[in-house]
Amino acid sequence: MELSLRSRLRAGHQSAFGEIFDDHADALYGYALRTLGDWAAAEDVVSLTFLEAWRLRGKLLEDGGSVRPWLFGIAANVLRNTARAARRHRAAMARLPEREAVPDFTDELVGRLDDDARLAATRRALAGLRRGEREVFALCVWSGLDYAAAAEALGVPVGTVRSRLSRARTRLRGLAEEELAAVRRGAEPSGRSGQVRGDRVPAVRSVEGKGA
């Protein structure tokens, strides 16, 4: 009898891991990129997710549907660890004496610069959300997981996913209104931790529209 994909994964069949990589790597990369805003870091998250999946393969239940929620749950944990490591790195760098900045004159493709700008603006808008709300928003709106799959990925009840997503949408609408009011006044948007100044209304509206 042919083994199921989950059974093959549990048994450590490399062909099974090749299948799930082909099927889910792009979606995981998109999830990590939107969360981190860094192309190289997103690639690292995908690699670490599959390394963790290999390490944790014995804990995967043999019965069940798609392994997508399982993979996204691992990715969510990797991203949490990445965020903690980044905070420790920033704290360590802040303790170092300042060095003279060296300008970077590297030419970049215009399309990539535009993508980076839009992505940075979206991440600034999401910075006002709690971590749980950001995770649910990223999984359900950006990565297309349904409530049940997101609940499985995060290890929380479906009702929690629904309530967090509802709060995320409400707070993003409020942020959009705040940004619009600031622009109408001709003032810089109010500062938030980890944010840079600029007109963020179009990006926030774009995010809100995706979650509608």
Side-chain angles (χ1 to χ4, degrees):
M1 182 178 67
E2 184 178 354
L3 294 175
S4 68
L5 176 62
R6 285 173 173 259
S7 296
R8 290 163 56 212
L9 290 171
R10 283 174 55 88
H13 291 190
Q14 292 186 2
S15 61
F17 276 87
E19 288 179 30
I20 65 171
F21 183 90
D22 292 340
D23 291 343
H24 302 290
D26 287 345
L28 289 169
Y29 176 76
Y31 169 48
L33 176 59
R34 290 184 175 105
T35 302
L36 297 173
D38 184 283
W39 309 86
E43 292 176 352
D44 290 341
V45 167
V46 173
S47 298
L48 288 171
T49 296
F50 281 98
L51 285 173
E52 279 294 281
W54 176 265
R55 187 178 69 85
L56 300 173
R57 64 189 184 277
K59 296 183 178 181
L60 177 65
L61 298 177
E62 292 194 21
D63 297 328
S66 171
V67 299
R68 185 181 179 93
W70 178 64
L71 287 173
F72 272 89
I74 294 174
N77 284 326
V78 170
L79 284 167
R80 290 169 193 159
N81 293 335
T82 298
R84 284 194 291 268
R87 286 194 296 270
R88 289 194 295 268
H89 176 72
R90 287 195 296 269
M93 294 298 292
R95 292 192 292 268
L96 296 176
E98 293 187 4
R99 294 183 298 176
E100 182 179 356
V102 178
D104 182 4
F105 297 103
T106 304
D107 291 332
E108 296 287 348
L109 294 176
V110 173
R112 176 152 179 175
L113 283 175
D114 289 342
D115 289 343
D116 285 343
R118 286 193 294 268
L119 180 58
T122 301
R123 291 186 63 247
R124 289 195 298 269
L126 291 175
L129 303 182
R130 297 184 178 91
R131 187 187 74 181
E133 295 167 352
R134 288 196 302 270
E135 290 177 345
V136 166
F137 187 90
L139 289 174
C140 292
V141 178
W142 279 342
S143 301
L145 270 66
D146 59 25
Y147 292 136
E152 182 180 342
L154 297 174
V156 299
V158 173
T160 300
V161 171
R162 291 179 181 273
S163 62
R164 286 180 181 176
L165 185 58
S166 177
R167 288 197 301 271
R169 287 170 171 164
T170 299
R171 296 184 70 182
L172 283 174
R173 282 194 292 269
L175 177 60
E177 292 172 0
E178 175 188 332
E179 299 285 352
L180 181 58
V183 171
R184 285 173 176 169
R185 291 194 304 269
E188 292 288 351
S190 59
R192 292 181 184 81
S193 176
Q195 297 179 1
V196 299
R197 295 181 177 181
D199 183 358
R200 302 194 290 267
V201 176
V204 174
R205 285 177 175 168
S206 176
V207 172
E208 179 184 339
K210 291 182 180 179

